[in-house]
Amino acid sequence: MTVHIKTFTPTPLFPPKTTWDIEGVKEAGIYTWFKEIQEELPNGWVKVDGQKMLMLGGYSYLGLNQNQEINQAAIDSIEKFGTGMSGSRFLAGTTTLHSELEQKIARMHGKEDAMVLSSGYLANVSTIACLLKKNDYIIGDKLNHASIMDGARYAQAKFVRYRHNDPEHLDAILGKIPHTARKLVVTDSVFSMSGTVANMPEIIKICKKHGAILMVDECHSIFVLGEKGGGIAEYFDLDPDDIDITMATLSKAIPSSGGYLAASTKIIDYLRHESRGFIYSGALTSTLTATALKSLEVFEKNRGELVKRLHENTAVFSEALRSYGIEIGHSETSIIPILIGDTTDAAIAAKKCQENGLFIHAVFPPVVPVGKAILRASITAAHKKEDLTAAAQKIYEILNELKHKNIHSIENS
């Protein structure tokens, strides 16, 4: 009797390998992510593993986290609405706080209407995915945030990327698209790894020339750019109507959570009834909504002072780093990329910084190009200037020490 043994194809590795060499970094003892913050302290300090550390890795640009007026608004909302929501915004999840917040956001951006979602990622993904249909086109900057890329990939439309911050290439791409097609151009206003600002006046000109709708992600520019924190419109003295859709977050300069869109009534009404991320997600809690609402009020009352302090602190830190010969690129904002180069050096530098009381992280490829790993610092209005100059000196000492140890990158090992 002949026995036929069936040959099975080996099951592929599951889960697949991570994009980053996480295991290698862990084995080398230089894994620095997911640190537990035990307490937030005054003046931009936090407590981690019982150690006091200067927070240089967060997004609280205006230093409003732990503001007592904002905290009280959150407490008051719990007493009135409780801690949770009863459903999505579409059904039982809209309170008077949500409507009030959306009206305030619309006025702030000079738009007719706005809508708030439970995260900034969701705001980008679900909006871009539902706005365009088959045979339409989405055109985005090559270095746009991952949420913009994901939204474009989920959409039925064709997705084309133009060279980073290159309006001429955008113009050339739009010129090849049929004039009858719907076209959505999407760009970050401030790019989150470099701190550079998009050439918005030229992008607007090109969108008008080709009849394209323009959507701008202002997560790192609103409340930050301009003398009064008015964002990209103030920075370039733009007409708010030149940007068709503004997206931003409530979890960076504003110490809450969630994301929002501001646009015409027609666009917002469409999104409220078509955006799957809005319809099929639980509403932003009333506590977070009240927090965001009060934060906007606090910002409006103190914007001049807060933004001035943020800009001054950014200048102090940037100038201190440059005085030590540390390369920080061409950032025009409070995002300061400290250019390291190879991946292992960046990981070791981050580990050394944290051991020396500086809460900062390395950023690896593919988030940044290969060979261009960075330490990414973010400055806030809460920082003290003397702490920032001391931090710059410590970073210089750490980088100088690593430079003389001839450390090789993961890619070359």
Side-chain angles (χ1 to χ4, degrees), residues 83-95 98 116-119 122 277-289:
T83 57
M85 301 303 298
S86 299
S88 74
R89 289 289 306 283
F90 201 68
L91 299 174
T94 297
T95 68
H98 291 86
V116 173
L117 294 91
S118 53
S119 81
L122 195 63
F278 183 76
I279 296 169
Y280 297 108
S281 288
L284 189 70
T285 67
S286 55
T287 307
L288 291 170
T289 306

Side-chain angles (χ1 to χ4, degrees), residues 109 111 139 141 162 165-168 170-171 174 183-189 197-218 231-246:
H109 285 282
K111 295 297 184 185
I139 310 95
D141 189 291
Y162 62 91
N165 216 359
D166 187 341
E168 288 184 8
L170 171 62
D171 188 22
L174 285 170
K183 301 172 282 287
L184 177 71
V185 173
V186 192
T187 180
D188 284 346
S189 53
V197 180
N199 188 347
M200 204 56 62
E202 285 303 310
I203 291 171
I204 287 168
K205 250 187 247 181
I206 290 162
C207 286
K208 287 181 176 180
K209 173 183 172 182
H210 294 282
I213 297 296
L214 176 60
M215 177 174 171
V216 177
D217 181 328
E218 281 226 64
I232 201 75
E234 183 193 354
Y235 187 75
F236 284 115
D237 193 23
L238 303 173
D239 181 340
D241 289 338
D242 286 339
I243 297 172
D244 299 287
I245 305 168
T246 294

